[in-house]
Amino acid sequence: EMSIDKLIAKFKFMNILVVGAGLSGATIARELAEAGHSVHVIDRRDHVAGNAFDYTNEHGIRVHEYGPHLFHTNNKEVFEYLGKFTTWVPYRHKVKAQLEDGRHVTLPVNKETKEIVGEENVLDIFFRPYTKKMWGVELDELNPDIINRVPIRDDDNEYYFPNDEYQAMPKDGYTKMVENMLYHHNIRVETNTEYNYHMDSKYDHVFNSMPIDQWFDFKYGKLPYRSIRFETVHLPMTRALPTATVNFTHDGPKTRVTEWKNIPCHGDNKYITTLTFEEPCDYADNNFERYYQVKDRDGKNRELYEKYKNEIPENVTFIGRCGLYAYLDMHQAVNSALAIARKFLS
Ligand code: UDP
């Protein structure tokens, strides 16, 4: 039997710092707060929800500031976990590709799309130009995992995520959902607050979603990222696109456009529609905004990441896309954060 002193020492509530209020940070914060720990969440931006941040614009239309976020997963636990913080509205995302002649065909490439363009042309039409502008390198230089996110099909399925059981949007948006995650008496949130390494010593443990190479002052070199520049336009019409997103097959700089109103609960203005175009670039050309880590074919970037990872001190855990240097979808970010939180708590 443990003495009460030992019990108290063993179960002492901790002071925790979470750097970054995105999905990863919010999940960790929530789990630790529920377990009784005192959690301080900081974010350098003026809002929570990280790159999933959304807002309602002057036309009553919900826009995702950092590009379209569509929730899809086969992970029931994650779906139900987030369901504690939002009502889910079912939505199965559809995407069309616009051919050079203006015709729209289904993506991911299915039986019908293959019949229209010819199976032998699929890579050259849909993947090579898009991937070049998206990543700034040729298709063959990237890890195949990247384009395998959009697998070619033999059936007539028309959905962008054909195999995911749970597909939905948070009724009041991602920002509201993350705010709900962070709304807990053991969580204190400060936005507009830049992290600095002096903070670490004031806490029992730090969960950090900042870029791991930056934390180490880039001492082994920089981990590359792609970024996206967004261009949002408003058109005086009810509806402009056949689907919520249209991908471009041309080799111009833009990859795709999203018409927000075509997603449920994103507003219903009869007279005006808001569209956002995406133009990928190196993150150095976009204010060092990191969106996509680059999984190269030879795994060089991963090797560099591992060098940093080997030197992470005991009181620090890196989380999220930038901390783990991984192309995490939202459900993967939450799943990973739940696993990290549980391991920490046990
Ligand atoms: N991709 C492509 N053509 C497309 C759509 C995707 O070549 O029309 C490739 C491209 O390399 C892209 C990757 O598949 O980066 C993953 O696409 P996804 O739509 O999953 O990207 P995300 O939505 O995460 O930006």
Side-chain angles (χ1 to χ4, degrees):
E1 236 174 70
M2 227 184 257
S3 73
I4 190 73
D5 298 346
K6 277 193 180 148
L7 262 176
I8 287 168
K10 183 169 180 213
F11 293 110
K12 186 176 90 63
F13 293 128
M14 287 181 277
N15 279 318
I16 304 286
L17 176 65
V18 174
V19 181
L23 278 169
S24 301
T27 302
I28 301 261
R30 183 74 192 200
E31 288 305 282
L32 270 54
E34 300 261 7
H37 301 296
S38 183
V39 187
H40 185 194
V41 180
I42 58 169
D43 200 296
R44 63 202 295 264
R45 288 179 174 156
D46 64 0
H47 60 74
V48 300
N51 280 6
F53 174 72
D54 52 19
Y55 64 96
T56 302
N57 74 7
E58 66 273 29
H59 305 300
I61 295 167
R62 179 171 297 144
V63 174
H64 305 184
E65 170 122 2
Y66 307 95
H69 283 65
L70 295 315
F71 190 83
H72 62 98
T73 188
N74 276 314
N75 189 327
K76 187 173 183 211
E77 192 201 349
V78 165
F79 186 67
E80 287 177 352
Y81 178 77
L82 292 175
K84 293 193 286 185
F85 309 107
T86 183
T87 301
W88 286 118
V89 177
Y91 169 65
R92 296 176 80 84
H93 192 49
K94 283 187 181 176
V95 176
K96 297 281 180 194
Q98 192 177 66
L99 301 175
E100 296 274 8
D101 64 9
R103 276 184 303 167
H104 291 113
V105 296
T106 297
L107 270 184
V109 173
N110 65 3
K111 190 159 155 271
E112 187 195 44
T113 302
K114 275 193 274 194
E115 280 161 14
I116 292 170
V117 305
E119 186 155 10
E120 66 285 5
N121 302 316
V122 163
L123 266 188
D124 288 337
I125 292 176
F126 300 105
F127 290 99
R128 277 192 214 288
Y130 188 106
T131 296
K132 182 76 202 278
K133 54 193 159 175
M134 173 67 210
W135 298 97
V137 296
E138 295 300 331
L139 186 63
D140 320 271
E141 294 172 55
L142 292 166
N143 185 302
D145 287 356
I146 293 177
I147 67 161
N148 287 340
R149 287 168 58 86
V150 192
I152 297 166
R153 305 179 64 84
D154 292 318
D155 58 21
D156 291 315
N157 195 308
E158 288 194 297
Y159 295 105
Y160 199 62
F161 310 109
N163 307 320
D164 285 335
E165 187 172 349
Y166 307 100
Q167 302 191 36
M169 299 297 291
K171 182 167 171 287
D172 300 311
Y174 290 104
T175 308
K176 187 71 201 166
M177 179 178 84
V178 173
E179 280 170 6
N180 290 340
M181 295 171 83
L182 294 168
Y183 187 75
H184 189 283
H185 59 272
N186 285 333
I187 301 178
R188 180 162 65 95
V189 181
E190 272 182 306
T191 50
N192 293 309
T193 303
E194 192 84 41
Y195 165 82
N196 76 63
Y197 66 92
H198 296 298
M199 293 175 173
D200 289 9
S201 60
K202 301 194 183 87
Y203 298 87
D204 296 306
H205 199 89
V206 181
F207 292 89
N208 200 327
S209 68
M210 76 184 277
I212 190 168
D213 54 342
Q214 189 181 355
W215 193 84
F216 281 104
D217 224 355
F218 307 108
K219 66 175 180 177
Y220 296 128
K222 286 190 171 139
L223 288 164
Y225 281 88
R226 290 296 278 177
S227 194
I228 307 276
R229 271 188 289 233
F230 299 100
E231 186 188 322
T232 295
V233 298
H234 313 282
L235 296 178
M237 58 204 291
T238 308
R239 185 172 175 155
L241 302 181
T243 44
T245 298
V246 168
N247 285 15
F248 302 122
T249 57
H250 59 56
D251 56 12
K254 294 192 166 57
T255 46
R256 60 187 177 190
V257 58
T258 296
E259 182 170 24
W260 300 106
K261 248 186 348 187
N262 296 352
I263 305 171
C265 302
H266 279 57
D268 52 6
N269 188 325
K270 254 197 294 186
Y271 306 103
I272 295 175
T273 190
T274 300
L275 288 80
T276 300
F277 291 84
E278 295 177 47
E279 181 172 335
C281 59
D282 191 277
Y283 75 108
D285 299 325
N286 190 31
N287 216 7
F288 297 95
E289 289 277 9
R290 296 164 171 88
Y291 292 167
Y292 295 88
Q293 42 78 240
V294 183
K295 196 167 183 179
D296 57 310
R297 192 197 49 197
D298 301 336
K300 288 214 175 69
N301 300 341
R302 196 71 213 163
E303 267 169 39
L304 178 53
Y305 169 79
E306 295 290 335
K307 269 172 96 169
Y308 286 121
K309 190 182 158 213
N310 286 335
E311 295 187 16
I312 301 171
E314 278 222 327
N315 63 326
V316 177
T317 305
F318 278 90
I319 59 171
R321 264 197 187 193
C322 291
L324 301 170
Y325 199 64
Y327 190 166
L328 300 177
D329 286 332
M330 289 183 284
H331 65 109
Q332 294 165 327
V334 172
N335 189 54
S336 158
L338 282 174
I340 290 169
R342 280 169 195 164
K343 188 169 165 223
F344 181 77
L345 290 171
S346 70

